[in-house]
Amino acid sequence: MKRLGLVSALIVFGACARPTSRVLPRETALSLASALDPAYTYSPDGSRIAYWTRNTDSSSGFTLWAARADMTAPAKLLSSQGTYGQALWSPDGSQLATLSDRFGSADVVVVPATGGPPRRLTTTPGFAAPTAWYPDGDRLAYMATTAGGSASTFAVALKTGASTPLVPDERSPYLGVPSPDGSHIALNVFDDHGGSTIWVADSGGHNPRQLT
């Protein structure tokens, strides 16, 4: 009875309370008819949004767009026939890295955020997808699968296109990402029995320390 009385009192109080003058912010629709959720990301400063759409015309495949945060002034950046992945903004917001088969196979592709020629960064027998930018924007971490299905993680230098293992001495399949400041690498190492453990290494991928 006490709980029921409290609920009733709250209802009465709400009905009698003075109307608020606070204006709620205007909502912006992010779910376009052809947009693919959750493949959208905001730029580091929050002023722009990148998203994929499924092509609705006679052509098949998908298109990557970048627009203002309110979804106005969209610019077409990249087309992909059958494979796409969430686009990752570079730290300065000038580039987007994504998974695409624009060049025939599923690889890491980088494209200017304002439009321009896309650049293929990987050529793998399986597929490769970006996982994180380094804070300096000069390198990009990505995971790649082999023909046998094993997975590993690498870092590619944008200037040279050269890839190196994120953790050079790790021989088991693993997925890793650099920390936001680039000082450490966190990795999930998989064993032959379907289990995994979490490790952390230094910025060069050395001196790994098991956490779990």
Side-chain angles (χ1 to χ4, degrees), residues 1-13:
M1 291 298 292
K2 289 184 178 180
R3 179 175 297 178
L4 180 60
L6 177 60
V7 172
S8 300
L10 290 174
I11 293 175
V12 172
F13 177 80

Side-chain angles (χ1 to χ4, degrees), residues 21-36:
S21 60
R22 182 180 180 183
V23 179
L24 295 177
R26 182 175 63 86
E27 294 181 354
T28 300
L30 298 181
S31 55
L32 301 177
S34 57
L36 300 168

Side-chain angles (χ1 to χ4, degrees), residues 5-170:
L6 177 60
V7 172
S8 300
L10 290 174
I11 293 175
V12 172
F13 177 80
C16 297
R18 296 174 58 186
T20 178
S21 60
R22 182 180 180 183
V23 179
L24 295 177
R26 182 175 63 86
E27 294 181 354
T28 300
L30 298 181
S31 55
L32 301 177
S34 57
L36 300 168
D37 181 41
Y40 63 86
T41 49
Y42 284 100
S43 60
D45 64 0
S47 66
R48 305 188 71 199
I49 185 172
Y51 58 94
W52 285 92
T53 61
R54 188 185 304 275
N55 295 337
T56 56
D57 53 19
S58 58
S59 64
S60 60
F62 311 92
T63 300
L64 176 65
W65 303 79
R68 295 170 182 163
D70 61 0
M71 301 299 285
T72 60
K76 182 179 179 180
L77 302 182
L78 180 68
S79 294
S80 191
Q81 287 301 308
T83 304
Y84 71 91
Q86 190 175 59
L88 304 181
W89 291 85
S90 61
D92 64 0
S94 66
Q95 301 181 85
L96 286 159
T98 188
L99 163 67
S100 171
D101 59 4
R102 167 69 173 78
F103 295 95
S105 59
D107 283 299
V108 177
V109 175
V110 172
V111 62
T114 55
R119 179 186 173 195
R120 182 184 189 181
L121 290 182
T122 62
T123 54
T124 62
F127 78 92
T131 57
W133 287 86
Y134 275 81
D136 56 13
D138 292 335
R139 290 180 295 164
L140 182 68
Y142 68 93
M143 65 82 61
T145 61
T146 65
S150 180
S152 191
T153 311
F154 302 85
V156 58
L158 269 68
K159 290 183 179 180
T160 64
S163 290
T164 56
L166 204 63
V167 183
D169 297 328
E170 183 57 59

